PDB file of all heavy atoms in Angstrom:
ATOM      1  N   THR B 416     -49.189  47.738 -17.765  1.00 98.00           N
ATOM      2  CA  THR B 416     -48.850  47.834 -19.243  1.00 98.00           C
ATOM      3  C   THR B 416     -49.937  47.291 -20.128  1.00 98.00           C
ATOM      4  O   THR B 416     -50.321  46.088 -19.943  1.00 98.00           O
ATOM      5  CB  THR B 416     -47.497  47.157 -19.494  1.00 98.00           C
ATOM      6  OG1 THR B 416     -46.488  47.708 -18.679  1.00 98.00           O
ATOM      7  CG2 THR B 416     -47.081  47.323 -20.950  1.00 98.00           C
ATOM      8  N   ILE B 417     -50.429  48.105 -21.017  1.00 98.00           N
ATOM      9  CA  ILE B 417     -51.419  47.672 -21.963  1.00 98.00           C
ATOM     10  C   ILE B 417     -50.747  47.657 -23.374  1.00 98.00           C
ATOM     11  O   ILE B 417     -50.415  48.706 -23.904  1.00 98.00           O
ATOM     12  CB  ILE B 417     -52.615  48.622 -22.032  1.00 98.00           C
ATOM     13  CG1 ILE B 417     -53.242  48.740 -20.658  1.00 98.00           C
ATOM     14  CG2 ILE B 417     -53.642  48.181 -23.030  1.00 98.00           C
ATOM     15  CD1 ILE B 417     -54.363  49.788 -20.492  1.00 98.00           C
ATOM     16  N   PRO B 418     -50.416  46.458 -23.910  1.00 98.00           N
ATOM     17  CA  PRO B 418     -49.786  46.437 -25.216  1.00 98.00           C
ATOM     18  C   PRO B 418     -50.705  47.133 -26.262  1.00 98.00           C
ATOM     19  O   PRO B 418     -51.929  47.010 -26.215  1.00 98.00           O
ATOM     20  CB  PRO B 418     -49.732  44.943 -25.482  1.00 98.00           C
ATOM     21  CG  PRO B 418     -49.757  44.273 -24.139  1.00 98.00           C
ATOM     22  CD  PRO B 418     -50.663  45.158 -23.325  1.00 98.00           C
ATOM     23  N   ALA B 419     -50.124  47.898 -27.115  1.00 97.00           N
ATOM     24  CA  ALA B 419     -50.870  48.616 -28.110  1.00 97.00           C
ATOM     25  C   ALA B 419     -49.878  49.002 -29.303  1.00 97.00           C
ATOM     26  O   ALA B 419     -48.681  48.915 -29.112  1.00 97.00           O
ATOM     27  CB  ALA B 419     -51.478  49.862 -27.573  1.00 97.00           C
ATOM     28  N   GLU B 420     -50.399  49.341 -30.463  1.00 95.00           N
ATOM     29  CA  GLU B 420     -49.551  49.820 -31.527  1.00 95.00           C
ATOM     30  C   GLU B 420     -49.893  51.256 -31.818  1.00 95.00           C
ATOM     31  O   GLU B 420     -51.061  51.625 -31.814  1.00 95.00           O
ATOM     32  CB  GLU B 420     -49.808  48.916 -32.746  1.00 95.00           C
ATOM     33  CG  GLU B 420     -49.135  47.504 -32.578  1.00 95.00           C
ATOM     34  CD  GLU B 420     -49.566  46.473 -33.603  1.00 95.00           C
ATOM     35  OE1 GLU B 420     -50.604  46.694 -34.288  1.00 95.00           O
ATOM     36  OE2 GLU B 420     -48.958  45.430 -33.584  1.00 95.00           O
ATOM     37  N   PRO B 421     -48.938  52.155 -32.140  1.00 93.00           N
ATOM     38  CA  PRO B 421     -47.502  51.784 -32.383  1.00 93.00           C
ATOM     39  C   PRO B 421     -46.779  51.578 -31.065  1.00 93.00           C
ATOM     40  O   PRO B 421     -45.664  51.021 -31.159  1.00 93.00           O
ATOM     41  CB  PRO B 421     -46.993  53.011 -33.134  1.00 93.00           C
ATOM     42  CG  PRO B 421     -47.837  54.108 -32.624  1.00 93.00           C
ATOM     43  CD  PRO B 421     -49.175  53.528 -32.356  1.00 93.00           C
ATOM     44  N   ALA B 422     -47.169  52.069 -29.947  1.00 94.00           N
ATOM     45  CA  ALA B 422     -46.447  51.967 -28.741  1.00 94.00           C
ATOM     46  C   ALA B 422     -47.367  51.529 -27.560  1.00 94.00           C
ATOM     47  O   ALA B 422     -48.505  51.990 -27.519  1.00 94.00           O
ATOM     48  CB  ALA B 422     -45.707  53.257 -28.347  1.00 94.00           C
ATOM     49  N   ARG B 423     -46.850  50.743 -26.684  1.00 96.00           N
ATOM     50  CA  ARG B 423     -47.655  50.207 -25.456  1.00 96.00           C
ATOM     51  C   ARG B 423     -48.121  51.463 -24.649  1.00 96.00           C
ATOM     52  O   ARG B 423     -47.384  52.518 -24.634  1.00 96.00           O
ATOM     53  CB  ARG B 423     -46.794  49.225 -24.647  1.00 96.00           C
ATOM     54  CG  ARG B 423     -46.043  49.788 -23.559  1.00 96.00           C
ATOM     55  CD  ARG B 423     -44.757  50.534 -24.014  1.00 96.00           C
ATOM     56  NE  ARG B 423     -43.997  51.117 -22.907  1.00 96.00           N
ATOM     57  CZ  ARG B 423     -44.195  52.272 -22.380  1.00 96.00           C
ATOM     58  NH1 ARG B 423     -45.131  53.011 -22.799  1.00 96.00           N
ATOM     59  NH2 ARG B 423     -43.399  52.713 -21.456  1.00 96.00           N
ATOM     60  N   ARG B 424     -49.184  51.262 -23.963  1.00 97.00           N
ATOM     61  CA  ARG B 424     -49.664  52.309 -23.025  1.00 97.00           C
ATOM     62  C   ARG B 424     -49.261  51.821 -21.630  1.00 97.00           C
ATOM     63  O   ARG B 424     -49.674  50.704 -21.264  1.00 97.00           O
ATOM     64  CB  ARG B 424     -51.140  52.568 -23.179  1.00 97.00           C
ATOM     65  CG  ARG B 424     -51.729  53.673 -22.280  1.00 97.00           C
ATOM     66  CD  ARG B 424     -53.222  53.804 -22.617  1.00 97.00           C
ATOM     67  NE  ARG B 424     -53.769  54.696 -21.699  1.00 97.00           N
ATOM     68  CZ  ARG B 424     -55.057  54.727 -21.177  1.00 97.00           C
ATOM     69  NH1 ARG B 424     -55.855  53.831 -21.667  1.00 97.00           N
ATOM     70  NH2 ARG B 424     -55.379  55.584 -20.313  1.00 97.00           N
ATOM     71  N   LYS B 425     -48.555  52.597 -20.876  1.00 98.00           N
ATOM     72  CA  LYS B 425     -48.097  52.186 -19.569  1.00 98.00           C
ATOM     73  C   LYS B 425     -48.801  53.150 -18.586  1.00 98.00           C
ATOM     74  O   LYS B 425     -48.457  54.353 -18.425  1.00 98.00           O
ATOM     75  CB  LYS B 425     -46.593  52.333 -19.460  1.00 98.00           C
ATOM     76  CG  LYS B 425     -46.103  51.517 -18.254  1.00 98.00           C
ATOM     77  CD  LYS B 425     -44.580  51.207 -18.410  1.00 98.00           C
ATOM     78  CE  LYS B 425     -44.033  50.384 -17.329  1.00 98.00           C
ATOM     79  NZ  LYS B 425     -42.697  49.921 -17.637  1.00 98.00           N
ATOM     80  N   LEU B 426     -49.716  52.667 -17.834  1.00 98.00           N
ATOM     81  CA  LEU B 426     -50.404  53.415 -16.782  1.00 98.00           C
ATOM     82  C   LEU B 426     -49.619  53.481 -15.506  1.00 98.00           C
ATOM     83  O   LEU B 426     -48.931  52.464 -15.226  1.00 98.00           O
ATOM     84  CB  LEU B 426     -51.819  52.881 -16.515  1.00 98.00           C
ATOM     85  CG  LEU B 426     -52.772  52.765 -17.686  1.00 98.00           C
ATOM     86  CD1 LEU B 426     -54.122  52.246 -17.134  1.00 98.00           C
ATOM     87  CD2 LEU B 426     -52.915  54.062 -18.384  1.00 98.00           C
ATOM     88  N   ARG B 427     -49.654  54.510 -14.809  1.00 97.00           N
ATOM     89  CA  ARG B 427     -49.004  54.619 -13.461  1.00 97.00           C
ATOM     90  C   ARG B 427     -50.034  54.889 -12.384  1.00 97.00           C
ATOM     91  O   ARG B 427     -51.133  55.272 -12.687  1.00 97.00           O
ATOM     92  CB  ARG B 427     -47.929  55.720 -13.461  1.00 97.00           C
ATOM     93  CG  ARG B 427     -46.534  55.222 -13.846  1.00 97.00           C
ATOM     94  CD  ARG B 427     -46.373  55.320 -15.365  1.00 97.00           C
ATOM     95  NE  ARG B 427     -45.064  54.907 -15.794  1.00 97.00           N
ATOM     96  CZ  ARG B 427     -44.605  54.943 -17.055  1.00 97.00           C
ATOM     97  NH1 ARG B 427     -45.475  55.290 -18.051  1.00 97.00           N
ATOM     98  NH2 ARG B 427     -43.418  54.614 -17.397  1.00 97.00           N
ATOM     99  N   GLY B 428     -49.613  54.772 -11.143  1.00 97.00           N
ATOM    100  CA  GLY B 428     -50.395  55.193 -10.093  1.00 97.00           C
ATOM    101  C   GLY B 428     -51.426  54.149  -9.600  1.00 97.00           C
ATOM    102  O   GLY B 428     -52.361  54.412  -8.826  1.00 97.00           O
ATOM    103  N   VAL B 429     -51.245  52.908 -10.026  1.00 98.00           N
ATOM    104  CA  VAL B 429     -52.120  51.786  -9.559  1.00 98.00           C
ATOM    105  C   VAL B 429     -51.779  51.648  -8.032  1.00 98.00           C
ATOM    106  O   VAL B 429     -50.656  51.622  -7.576  1.00 98.00           O
ATOM    107  CB  VAL B 429     -51.745  50.452 -10.260  1.00 98.00           C
ATOM    108  CG1 VAL B 429     -52.550  49.267  -9.695  1.00 98.00           C
ATOM    109  CG2 VAL B 429     -52.075  50.576 -11.727  1.00 98.00           C
ATOM    110  N   THR B 430     -52.810  51.455  -7.217  1.00 98.00           N
ATOM    111  CA  THR B 430     -52.633  51.309  -5.817  1.00 98.00           C
ATOM    112  C   THR B 430     -53.131  49.908  -5.391  1.00 98.00           C
ATOM    113  O   THR B 430     -53.639  49.136  -6.232  1.00 98.00           O
ATOM    114  CB  THR B 430     -53.345  52.351  -4.982  1.00 98.00           C
ATOM    115  OG1 THR B 430     -54.785  52.218  -5.249  1.00 98.00           O
ATOM    116  CG2 THR B 430     -52.896  53.764  -5.285  1.00 98.00           C
ATOM    117  N   THR B 431     -52.945  49.560  -4.149  1.00 98.00           N
ATOM    118  CA  THR B 431     -53.368  48.199  -3.729  1.00 98.00           C
ATOM    119  C   THR B 431     -54.861  48.179  -3.548  1.00 98.00           C
ATOM    120  O   THR B 431     -55.373  48.715  -2.566  1.00 98.00           O
ATOM    121  CB  THR B 431     -52.668  47.869  -2.395  1.00 98.00           C
ATOM    122  OG1 THR B 431     -51.234  48.060  -2.611  1.00 98.00           O
ATOM    123  CG2 THR B 431     -52.954  46.536  -1.862  1.00 98.00           C
ATOM    124  N   PHE B 432     -55.586  47.591  -4.479  1.00 98.00           N
ATOM    125  CA  PHE B 432     -57.067  47.623  -4.441  1.00 98.00           C
ATOM    126  C   PHE B 432     -57.607  46.541  -3.609  1.00 98.00           C
ATOM    127  O   PHE B 432     -58.850  46.576  -3.378  1.00 98.00           O
ATOM    128  CB  PHE B 432     -57.582  47.517  -5.948  1.00 98.00           C
ATOM    129  CG  PHE B 432     -57.161  48.684  -6.741  1.00 98.00           C
ATOM    130  CD1 PHE B 432     -56.606  48.507  -8.047  1.00 98.00           C
ATOM    131  CD2 PHE B 432     -57.448  49.936  -6.364  1.00 98.00           C
ATOM    132  CE1 PHE B 432     -56.243  49.562  -8.802  1.00 98.00           C
ATOM    133  CE2 PHE B 432     -57.055  51.080  -7.167  1.00 98.00           C
ATOM    134  CZ  PHE B 432     -56.475  50.831  -8.432  1.00 98.00           C
ATOM    135  N   ASN B 433     -56.861  45.583  -3.157  1.00 98.00           N
ATOM    136  CA  ASN B 433     -57.293  44.530  -2.261  1.00 98.00           C
ATOM    137  C   ASN B 433     -56.398  44.454  -1.048  1.00 98.00           C
ATOM    138  O   ASN B 433     -55.190  44.090  -1.266  1.00 98.00           O
ATOM    139  CB  ASN B 433     -57.505  43.233  -2.939  1.00 98.00           C
ATOM    140  CG  ASN B 433     -58.816  43.160  -3.783  1.00 98.00           C
ATOM    141  OD1 ASN B 433     -59.866  43.060  -3.276  1.00 98.00           O
ATOM    142  ND2 ASN B 433     -58.582  43.288  -5.083  1.00 98.00           N
ATOM    143  N   ARG B 434     -56.834  44.687   0.120  1.00 97.00           N
ATOM    144  CA  ARG B 434     -55.985  44.591   1.264  1.00 97.00           C
ATOM    145  C   ARG B 434     -56.231  43.222   1.964  1.00 97.00           C
ATOM    146  O   ARG B 434     -57.359  42.798   2.149  1.00 97.00           O
ATOM    147  CB  ARG B 434     -56.244  45.685   2.285  1.00 97.00           C
ATOM    148  CG  ARG B 434     -55.498  45.597   3.578  1.00 97.00           C
ATOM    149  CD  ARG B 434     -55.859  46.727   4.550  1.00 97.00           C
ATOM    150  NE  ARG B 434     -57.114  46.545   5.232  1.00 97.00           N
ATOM    151  CZ  ARG B 434     -57.316  45.761   6.295  1.00 97.00           C
ATOM    152  NH1 ARG B 434     -56.292  44.996   6.758  1.00 97.00           N
ATOM    153  NH2 ARG B 434     -58.528  45.597   6.862  1.00 97.00           N
ATOM    154  N   MET B 435     -55.042  42.524   2.245  1.00 97.00           N
ATOM    155  CA  MET B 435     -55.160  41.258   2.921  1.00 97.00           C
ATOM    156  C   MET B 435     -55.557  41.451   4.330  1.00 97.00           C
ATOM    157  O   MET B 435     -54.918  42.192   5.055  1.00 97.00           O
ATOM    158  CB  MET B 435     -53.852  40.623   2.803  1.00 97.00           C
ATOM    159  CG  MET B 435     -53.562  39.336   3.591  1.00 97.00           C
ATOM    160  SD  MET B 435     -54.274  37.966   2.805  1.00 97.00           S
ATOM    161  CE  MET B 435     -53.847  36.722   4.037  1.00 97.00           C
ATOM    162  N   ALA B 436     -56.711  40.767   4.798  1.00 97.00           N
ATOM    163  CA  ALA B 436     -57.168  40.992   6.139  1.00 97.00           C
ATOM    164  C   ALA B 436     -56.982  39.731   7.031  1.00 97.00           C
ATOM    165  O   ALA B 436     -57.349  39.715   8.166  1.00 97.00           O
ATOM    166  CB  ALA B 436     -58.610  41.403   6.166  1.00 97.00           C
ATOM    167  N   GLY B 437     -56.290  38.743   6.412  1.00 97.00           N
ATOM    168  CA  GLY B 437     -56.043  37.529   7.195  1.00 97.00           C
ATOM    169  C   GLY B 437     -56.299  36.312   6.490  1.00 97.00           C
ATOM    170  O   GLY B 437     -56.964  36.309   5.363  1.00 97.00           O
ATOM    171  N   GLY B 438     -55.746  35.187   7.052  1.00 97.00           N
ATOM    172  CA  GLY B 438     -55.983  33.904   6.298  1.00 97.00           C
ATOM    173  C   GLY B 438     -55.322  32.779   7.074  1.00 97.00           C
ATOM    174  O   GLY B 438     -54.602  32.981   8.041  1.00 97.00           O
ATOM    175  N   GLU B 439     -55.474  31.535   6.534  1.00 98.00           N
ATOM    176  CA  GLU B 439     -54.874  30.405   7.098  1.00 98.00           C
ATOM    177  C   GLU B 439     -54.721  29.342   6.126  1.00 98.00           C
ATOM    178  O   GLU B 439     -55.443  29.272   5.075  1.00 98.00           O
ATOM    179  CB  GLU B 439     -55.721  29.930   8.351  1.00 98.00           C
ATOM    180  CG  GLU B 439     -55.081  28.915   9.193  1.00 98.00           C
ATOM    181  CD  GLU B 439     -53.631  29.283   9.674  1.00 98.00           C
ATOM    182  OE1 GLU B 439     -52.707  29.086   8.911  1.00 98.00           O
ATOM    183  OE2 GLU B 439     -53.445  29.725  10.876  1.00 98.00           O
ATOM    184  N   TYR B 440     -53.739  28.420   6.350  1.00 98.00           N
ATOM    185  CA  TYR B 440     -53.581  27.239   5.634  1.00 98.00           C
ATOM    186  C   TYR B 440     -54.401  26.198   6.281  1.00 98.00           C
ATOM    187  O   TYR B 440     -54.284  25.922   7.496  1.00 98.00           O
ATOM    188  CB  TYR B 440     -52.105  26.825   5.569  1.00 98.00           C
ATOM    189  CG  TYR B 440     -51.203  27.665   4.669  1.00 98.00           C
ATOM    190  CD1 TYR B 440     -49.823  27.660   4.831  1.00 98.00           C
ATOM    191  CD2 TYR B 440     -51.808  28.412   3.691  1.00 98.00           C
ATOM    192  CE1 TYR B 440     -49.054  28.332   3.980  1.00 98.00           C
ATOM    193  CE2 TYR B 440     -50.963  29.135   2.790  1.00 98.00           C
ATOM    194  CZ  TYR B 440     -49.572  29.099   3.003  1.00 98.00           C
ATOM    195  OH  TYR B 440     -48.750  29.875   2.126  1.00 98.00           O
ATOM    196  N   MET B 441     -55.217  25.433   5.490  1.00 98.00           N
ATOM    197  CA  MET B 441     -56.094  24.463   6.102  1.00 98.00           C
ATOM    198  C   MET B 441     -56.000  23.047   5.334  1.00 98.00           C
ATOM    199  O   MET B 441     -55.640  22.960   4.248  1.00 98.00           O
ATOM    200  CB  MET B 441     -57.599  24.883   5.969  1.00 98.00           C
ATOM    201  CG  MET B 441     -57.892  26.353   6.444  1.00 98.00           C
ATOM    202  SD  MET B 441     -57.713  26.593   8.212  1.00 98.00           S
ATOM    203  CE  MET B 441     -59.125  25.750   8.852  1.00 98.00           C
ATOM    204  N   PHE B 442     -56.426  22.013   6.110  1.00 98.00           N
ATOM    205  CA  PHE B 442     -56.483  20.715   5.554  1.00 98.00           C
ATOM    206  C   PHE B 442     -57.968  20.317   5.449  1.00 98.00           C
ATOM    207  O   PHE B 442     -58.755  20.493   6.427  1.00 98.00           O
ATOM    208  CB  PHE B 442     -55.709  19.720   6.512  1.00 98.00           C
ATOM    209  CG  PHE B 442     -55.964  18.273   6.189  1.00 98.00           C
ATOM    210  CD1 PHE B 442     -55.637  17.740   4.984  1.00 98.00           C
ATOM    211  CD2 PHE B 442     -56.341  17.462   7.274  1.00 98.00           C
ATOM    212  CE1 PHE B 442     -55.775  16.381   4.798  1.00 98.00           C
ATOM    213  CE2 PHE B 442     -56.523  16.053   6.966  1.00 98.00           C
ATOM    214  CZ  PHE B 442     -56.198  15.553   5.796  1.00 98.00           C
ATOM    215  N   MET B 443     -58.366  19.847   4.313  1.00 98.00           N
ATOM    216  CA  MET B 443     -59.759  19.406   4.173  1.00 98.00           C
ATOM    217  C   MET B 443     -59.831  17.908   4.128  1.00 98.00           C
ATOM    218  O   MET B 443     -59.583  17.328   3.108  1.00 98.00           O
ATOM    219  CB  MET B 443     -60.384  19.981   2.905  1.00 98.00           C
ATOM    220  CG  MET B 443     -61.843  19.685   2.637  1.00 98.00           C
ATOM    221  SD  MET B 443     -62.622  20.713   1.413  1.00 98.00           S
ATOM    222  CE  MET B 443     -63.305  22.030   2.496  1.00 98.00           C
ATOM    223  N   PRO B 444     -60.113  17.292   5.270  1.00 98.00           N
ATOM    224  CA  PRO B 444     -60.007  15.859   5.402  1.00 98.00           C
ATOM    225  C   PRO B 444     -61.123  15.102   4.627  1.00 98.00           C
ATOM    226  O   PRO B 444     -62.127  15.700   4.333  1.00 98.00           O
ATOM    227  CB  PRO B 444     -60.205  15.562   6.912  1.00 98.00           C
ATOM    228  CG  PRO B 444     -60.237  16.902   7.584  1.00 98.00           C
ATOM    229  CD  PRO B 444     -60.602  17.903   6.519  1.00 98.00           C
ATOM    230  N   SER B 445     -60.855  13.849   4.313  1.00 98.00           N
ATOM    231  CA  SER B 445     -61.912  12.971   3.745  1.00 98.00           C
ATOM    232  C   SER B 445     -62.890  12.677   4.809  1.00 98.00           C
ATOM    233  O   SER B 445     -62.739  12.987   6.006  1.00 98.00           O
ATOM    234  CB  SER B 445     -61.310  11.689   3.275  1.00 98.00           C
ATOM    235  OG  SER B 445     -60.910  10.959   4.428  1.00 98.00           O
ATOM    236  N   LEU B 446     -64.062  12.112   4.461  1.00 98.00           N
ATOM    237  CA  LEU B 446     -65.111  11.742   5.374  1.00 98.00           C
ATOM    238  C   LEU B 446     -64.533  10.700   6.337  1.00 98.00           C
ATOM    239  O   LEU B 446     -64.797  10.703   7.530  1.00 98.00           O
ATOM    240  CB  LEU B 446     -66.366  11.309   4.708  1.00 98.00           C
ATOM    241  CG  LEU B 446     -67.014  12.379   3.850  1.00 98.00           C
ATOM    242  CD1 LEU B 446     -68.299  11.879   3.226  1.00 98.00           C
ATOM    243  CD2 LEU B 446     -67.273  13.671   4.685  1.00 98.00           C
ATOM    244  N   THR B 447     -63.742   9.752   5.772  1.00 98.00           N
ATOM    245  CA  THR B 447     -63.086   8.737   6.704  1.00 98.00           C
ATOM    246  C   THR B 447     -62.230   9.412   7.685  1.00 98.00           C
ATOM    247  O   THR B 447     -62.260   9.063   8.876  1.00 98.00           O
ATOM    248  CB  THR B 447     -62.220   7.850   5.770  1.00 98.00           C
ATOM    249  OG1 THR B 447     -63.086   7.165   4.880  1.00 98.00           O
ATOM    250  CG2 THR B 447     -61.496   6.773   6.585  1.00 98.00           C
ATOM    251  N   ALA B 448     -61.446  10.427   7.264  1.00 98.00           N
ATOM    252  CA  ALA B 448     -60.554  11.041   8.151  1.00 98.00           C
ATOM    253  C   ALA B 448     -61.239  11.845   9.243  1.00 98.00           C
ATOM    254  O   ALA B 448     -60.862  11.840  10.399  1.00 98.00           O
ATOM    255  CB  ALA B 448     -59.607  12.005   7.395  1.00 98.00           C
TER     256      ALA B 448
END
Side-chain angles (χ1 to χ4, degrees):
Chain B
T416 302
I417 304 174
E420 287 167 345
R423 91 284 179 277
R424 183 175 173 210
K425 195 164 184 167
L426 304 182
R427 268 87 177 184
V429 174
T430 59
T431 303
F432 296 128
N433 283 287
R434 176 180 77 80
M435 170 79 181
E439 191 50 283
Y440 284 164
M441 310 292 290
F442 170 55
M443 181 163 269
S445 69
L446 299 181
T447 297

